[in-house]
């Protein structure tokens, strides 16, 4: 499986997935820390990929997602965006609605 296929499989396999530097308990940059804190406050389980320990993913994800920076949040296979967008959506209440809707779809299935 190519690295691009691996990335696409990760995105498809995890309803809420963040590519970040470090992990939610020990983020390695301020943007990753802020983004994961917001996700935790929204109350839905999410998966993560540490791009620092996966350099192939770090170098190839921007081409797959067409987004140049990290972190990158995906919900139901779609790119939501990075820290600024995550923060704006959280402040407006839109992010919690999106994550709760994603969780509700899985409960119905």
């Amino acid at each position: 499986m190519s690295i691009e296929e691996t990335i696409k499989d990760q995105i498809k396999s995890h309803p809420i997935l963040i590519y970040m530097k470090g992990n939610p308990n020990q983020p390695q940059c301020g943007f990753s820390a802020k983004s994961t804190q917001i996700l935790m406050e929204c109350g839905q389980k999410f998966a993560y990929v540490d791009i620092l320990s996966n350099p192939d993913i770090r170098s190839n994800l921007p081409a797959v997602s067409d987004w140049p920076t990290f972190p990158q949040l995906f919900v139901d296979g779609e790119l939501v965006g990075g820290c600024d967008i995550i923060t704006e959506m959280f402040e407006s209440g839109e992010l919690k609605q999106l994550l709760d809707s994603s969780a509700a779809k899985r409960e119905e299935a």
Side-chain angles (χ1 to χ4, degrees):
M1 184 181 283
S2 74
I3 193 66
E4 290 84 5
E5 290 170 327
T6 298
I7 292 168
K8 288 176 184 176
D9 185 58
Q10 289 172 338
I11 293 168
K12 188 172 124 187
S13 299
H14 300 285
I16 302 170
L17 174 64
I18 187 166
Y19 289 91
M20 61 179 292
K21 294 178 179 176
N23 67 61
N25 295 320
Q26 292 186 309
Q28 298 296 309
C29 85
F31 297 117
S32 291
K34 184 172 185 175
S35 297
T36 55
Q37 184 61 41
I38 286 170
L39 289 175
M40 287 187 250
E41 286 184 39
C42 287
Q44 296 297 338
K45 291 183 179 180
F46 62 93
Y48 74 92
V49 174
D50 176 6
I51 61 162
L52 297 178
S53 62
N54 293 282
D56 289 343
I57 290 175
R58 182 180 188 174
S59 62
N60 286 279
L61 180 60
V64 173
S65 66
D66 200 27
W67 192 265
T69 60
F70 297 98
Q72 292 186 20
L73 175 64
F74 289 82
V75 177
D76 296 329
E78 297 292 323
L79 175 67
V80 173
C83 185
D84 290 347
I85 293 171
I86 293 168
T87 302
E88 288 173 19
M89 289 179 70
F90 176 69
E91 290 171 353
S92 74
E94 190 180 351
L95 183 65
K96 181 159 176 42
Q97 287 179 332
L98 177 65
L99 300 180
D100 288 350
S101 173
S102 174
K105 287 180 206 170
R106 290 190 302 284
E107 290 172 7
E108 291 172 4

